[in-house]
């Protein structure tokens, strides 16, 4: 091979074809890898040289190294036997959109830097808002609109900052130590990180206890009680984060009742539906976000369960000005006629960084290349497979389903013999390790009401019923061995 130029159309054609073939072969053989990487910490340093090369190497050499040295250290998120955390879906459409975005490789911080990037984002997020039947004010034609963030952690941070500054404009900057944030103890830890970054005092972050009596959803009573108590001692409640589909068990907080409480207390109401929001494009699951009309902001991750390659976290806000007032900057080098005339949206003012990728391309391609009906079938199929797994678990008296299945996550555990109940947590931890170290599947865990609980999340693009059945067989075999050894 001759020396690679930084950018040459013919060289790109030749090398990119090789790369696409390599990735296609990876997907073809993905079931042959252990799902969870089995390497030890520091494994790679032993395999790679300790400095970069002086002379160019060939693409083939690099790809050989990926195969031999990188893949063993990869946990295969797209494997059909991946059932851990929540899925992060890639798809042909998502990949093609990502490829095109990489090809154009522009940095779209303001409208003028690539008008199509800003305008397509607004249009595509209006399309998605329509599929989710979101309230009118979340559309770009009203006071609010949608914006693509990197992750749900960024989404909750930017709305927390907007809410904080809005209340501080009213009560004065020095009151920051009195601001209180509320959520359930099932809320994603991203909220705590947002509070740390946003200067909210850690003791003013109220994570209200939930239990199995409400299926781990936040009870409006406990929220009301906490707010009354805080107001009585002179604190200022200003932000509630509710979740539709919590990380641990897919609990769904009662949006309508919670929204009424936030409204009467003048608080910002954010709804995090990072994982489960996708399912709400199906009419039979849309009721999980009933009450969304009470919310100030709503977030879902198209990169989780919506066939859009990571990263693509969609955030809608009711009032874009609240975001812009918190996050906008106007240095001389970014000034331009369109922005000055207030005729355009500059997404740099809706996010933490200045730079942004052309992420709306892949979402647009997913919506166009699959269409609503196929996307709905895709989601329903995963929910059906999870239902099937739930039935398998409940047919085996040694196991128990520990939280109601709402979407495609099943929370379950293996039960110890009657006389050994104190070793339940260890037994389930051992089962998790035993199953994951086979390399045949990958599951993760949570703790619910003090009990170590296994999570089986269906949602990889290639998963079929046979993968679920095989996973269950491994779980049963490893459980039998562990129970015998007790």
């Amino acid at each position: 091979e001759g020396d690679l130029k930084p950018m040459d159309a013919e060289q790109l054609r030749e090398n990119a074809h090789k790369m696409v073939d390599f990735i296609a072969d990876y997907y073809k053989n993905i079931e042959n890898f252990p799902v969870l990487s089995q390497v030890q910490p520091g494994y790679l340093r032993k395999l790679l040289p300790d400095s970069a090369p002086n002379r160019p190497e060939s693409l083939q050499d690099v790809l050989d190294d990926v195969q031999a040295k990188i893949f063993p250290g990869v946990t295969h998120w797209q494997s059909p036997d991946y059932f851990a955390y929540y899925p992060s879906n890639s798809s042909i459409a998502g990949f093609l959109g990502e490829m095109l975005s990489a090809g154009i490789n522009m940095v779209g911080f303001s409208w003028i830097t690539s008008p199509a990037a800003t305008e397509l984002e607004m249009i595509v997020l209006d399309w998605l808002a329509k599929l989710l039947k979101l309230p009118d004010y979340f559309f770009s034609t009203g006071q609010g609109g949608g914006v693509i963030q990197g992750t749900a952690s960024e989404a909750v941070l930017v709305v927390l900052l907007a809410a904080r500054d809005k209340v501080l404009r009213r009560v004065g900057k020095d009151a920051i130590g009195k601001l209180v944030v509320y959520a359930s103890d099932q809320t994603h830890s991203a909220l705590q990180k947002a509070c740390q970054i946003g200067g909210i005092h850690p003791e003013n972050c109220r994570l209200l206890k939930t239990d199995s009596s409400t299926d781990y959803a936040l009870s409006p009573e406990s929220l009301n009680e906490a707010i009354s108590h805080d107001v009585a001692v002179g604190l200022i409640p200003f932000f509630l984060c509710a979740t539709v589909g919590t990380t641990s068990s897919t609990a769904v907080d009662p949006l309508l009742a919670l929204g009424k409480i936030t409204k009467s207390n003048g608080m910002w109401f954010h709804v995090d539906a990072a994982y489960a929001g996708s399912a709400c494009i199906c009419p039979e699951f849309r009721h999980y976000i009933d009450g969304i009309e009470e919310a100030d902001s709503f977030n879902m991750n198209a990169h989780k369960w919506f066939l859009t390659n990571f990263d693509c976290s969609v955030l809608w806000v009711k009032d874009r000005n609240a975001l812009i007032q918190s996050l906008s900057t106007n240095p001389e080098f970014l000034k331009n006629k369109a922005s000055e005339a207030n005729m355009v949206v500059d997404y740099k003012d809706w996010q933490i960084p200045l730079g942004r990728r052309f992420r709306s391309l892949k979402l647009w391609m997913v919506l166009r290349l699959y269409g609503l009906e196929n996307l709905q079938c895709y989601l329903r199929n995963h929910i059906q497979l999870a239902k099937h797994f739930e039935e398998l678990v409940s047919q085996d008296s040694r196991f128990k389903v520990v939280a109601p299945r709402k979407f495609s996550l099943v929370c379950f555990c293996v039960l110890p013999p009657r006389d050994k109940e104190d070793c339940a947590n260890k037994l389930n931890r051992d089962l998790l390790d035993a199953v994951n170290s086979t390399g045949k599947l990958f599951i993760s865990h949570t703790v619910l009401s003090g009990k170590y609980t296994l999570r089986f999340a269906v949602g990889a693009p290639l998963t079929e019923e046979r993968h679920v059945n095989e996973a269950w067989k491994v779980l049963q075999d490893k459980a039998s061995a562990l129970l015998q050894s007790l």
Side-chain angles (χ1 to χ4, degrees):
E1 291 188 24
D3 279 357
L4 211 54
K5 302 184 184 73
M7 182 52 73
D8 170 276
E10 290 316 312
Q11 281 188 328
L12 173 70
R13 194 186 311 279
E14 183 193 338
N15 287 283
H17 273 290
K18 277 187 192 143
M19 183 58 87
V20 168
D21 282 338
F22 183 81
I23 294 168
D25 288 339
Y26 166 64
Y27 279 121
K28 208 179 210 164
N29 301 314
I30 198 163
E31 290 187 58
N32 302 336
F33 295 101
V35 190
L36 175 65
S37 169
Q38 306 289 320
V39 300
Q40 293 303 308
Y43 91 100
L44 193 56
R45 198 167 280 283
K46 303 183 186 91
L47 302 179
L48 293 186
D50 55 10
S51 50
N54 277 323
R55 307 281 315 131
E57 298 180 31
S58 74
L59 176 62
Q60 196 50 55
D61 288 345
V62 177
L63 293 179
D64 291 346
D65 275 351
V66 170
Q67 195 74 48
K69 300 168 185 174
I70 303 298
F71 277 166
V74 169
T75 289
H76 301 276
W77 282 67
Q78 305 308 315
S79 165
D81 301 304
Y82 182 98
F83 301 106
Y85 311 115
Y86 281 129
S88 187
N89 285 174
S90 69
S91 66
I92 296 173
F95 176 79
L96 294 173
E98 192 70 350
M99 200 171 173
L100 184 54
S101 172
I104 298 170
N105 199 37
M106 57 81 168
V107 185
F109 44 83
S110 51
W111 178 84
I112 197 156
T113 58
S114 275
T118 295
E119 297 195 12
L120 184 64
E121 190 158 328
M122 294 167 78
I123 291 163
V124 169
L125 297 192
D126 284 350
W127 282 10
L128 190 48
K130 203 178 251 179
L131 297 186
L132 291 164
K133 301 192 167 45
L134 295 185
D136 289 349
Y137 53 69
F138 282 144
F139 287 73
S140 65
T141 43
Q143 294 301 296
V147 56
I148 299 175
Q149 304 283 341
T151 64
S153 308
E154 287 166 63
V156 74
L157 173 60
V158 295
V159 296
L160 181 97
L161 298 176
R164 175 199 71 182
D165 293 349
K166 192 175 166 181
V167 69
L168 291 179
R169 282 194 291 277
R170 198 178 75 233
V171 298
K173 278 206 262 303
D174 297 337
I176 192 162
K178 294 183 178 171
L179 301 186
V180 191
V181 168
Y182 304 83
S184 89
D185 59 0
Q186 300 298 303
T187 304
H188 195 282
S189 57
L191 177 68
Q192 274 167 295
K193 187 181 267 197
C195 289
Q196 285 169 352
I197 299 170
I200 306 302
H201 291 204
E203 64 274 17
N204 289 346
C205 193
R206 306 263 176 273
L207 299 179
L208 306 172
K209 204 168 151 358
T210 58
D211 58 41
S212 57
S213 69
T214 60
D215 296 338
Y216 301 100
L218 175 56
S219 96
E221 295 72 34
S222 71
L223 176 66
N224 243 332
E225 217 170 287
I227 290 175
S228 308
H229 177 267
D230 286 332
V231 170
V233 298
L235 296 172
I236 305 169
F238 85 104
F239 189 88
L240 167 69
C241 178
T243 310
V244 173
T246 55
T247 307
S248 279
S249 69
T250 60
V252 174
D253 291 340
L255 304 187
L256 200 57
L258 296 172
K260 294 210 158 42
I261 297 171
T262 55
K263 190 172 271 171
S264 61
N265 287 280
M267 294 161 63
W268 184 291
F269 183 25
H270 176 62
V271 175
D272 170 2
Y275 156 74
S278 298
C280 298
I281 66 165
C282 301
E284 70 272 30
F285 300 116
R286 170 59 177 75
H287 65 93
Y288 286 117
I289 56 169
D290 284 356
I292 193 67
E293 59 281 358
E294 302 289 333
D296 293 281
S297 48
F298 175 69
N299 170 231
M300 70 161 265
N301 286 349
H303 61 240
K304 277 203 166 79
W305 199 14
F306 206 72
L307 292 171
T308 307
N309 290 40
F310 186 82
D311 53 337
C312 186
S313 182
V314 184
L315 170 67
W316 287 275
V317 290
K318 184 175 185 171
D319 170 21
R320 67 178 79 160
N321 287 320
L323 263 194
I324 294 168
Q325 279 177 291
S326 267
L327 301 169
S328 86
T329 50
N330 194 18
E332 187 59 43
F333 72 97
L334 295 182
K335 290 185 177 160
N336 65 82
K337 283 189 186 126
S339 299
E340 312 270 293
N342 236 344
M343 291 157 56
V344 295
V345 162
D346 288 330
Y347 275 131
K348 69 180 177 62
D349 300 333
W350 298 44
Q351 61 173 18
I352 302 297
L354 174 67
R356 59 201 324 268
R357 301 168 60 228
F358 196 167
R359 287 182 287 220
S360 53
L361 273 175
K362 56 189 171 184
L363 190 49
W364 186 50
M365 286 177 105
V366 165
L367 290 168
R368 291 187 63 186
L369 295 177
Y370 299 123
L372 175 60
E373 286 172 18
N374 277 330
L375 289 166
Q376 289 172 332
C377 290
Y378 176 76
L379 294 154
R380 285 172 181 143
N381 175 49
H382 283 154
I383 290 167
Q384 212 31 63
L385 291 175
K387 218 180 236 175
H388 171 62
F389 181 78
E390 182 184 33
E391 279 157 16
L392 294 172
V393 172
S394 38
Q395 283 158 17
D396 186 329
S397 60
R398 303 169 304 167
F399 287 85
K400 179 177 163 207
V401 174
V402 295
R405 184 203 51 74
K406 290 190 162 66
F407 302 98
S408 67
L409 170 73
V410 181
C411 290
F412 69 107
C413 66
V414 60
L415 300 166
R418 288 251 160 92
D419 54 335
K420 305 248 173 84
E421 281 174 359
D422 51 344
C423 70
N425 286 357
K426 184 182 184 307
L427 176 64
N428 280 282
R429 196 176 298 128
D430 291 347
L431 178 58
L432 180 96
D433 290 341
V435 163
N436 286 344
S437 57
T438 65
K440 290 185 185 149
L441 69 146
F442 177 30
I443 56 171
S444 56
H445 79 282
T446 187
V447 173
L448 290 170
S449 302
K451 291 189 171 69
Y452 192 95
T453 301
L454 305 179
R455 296 168 74 267
F456 190 88
V458 181
L462 296 163
T463 302
E464 296 167 19
E465 190 168 318
R466 66 186 169 97
H467 300 105
V468 173
N469 292 337
E470 282 159 24
W472 174 236
K473 200 176 162 335
V474 175
L475 278 155
Q476 282 184 311
D477 290 351
K478 292 297 176 191
S480 298
L482 285 167
L483 288 167
Q484 262 154 22
S485 69
L486 278 180

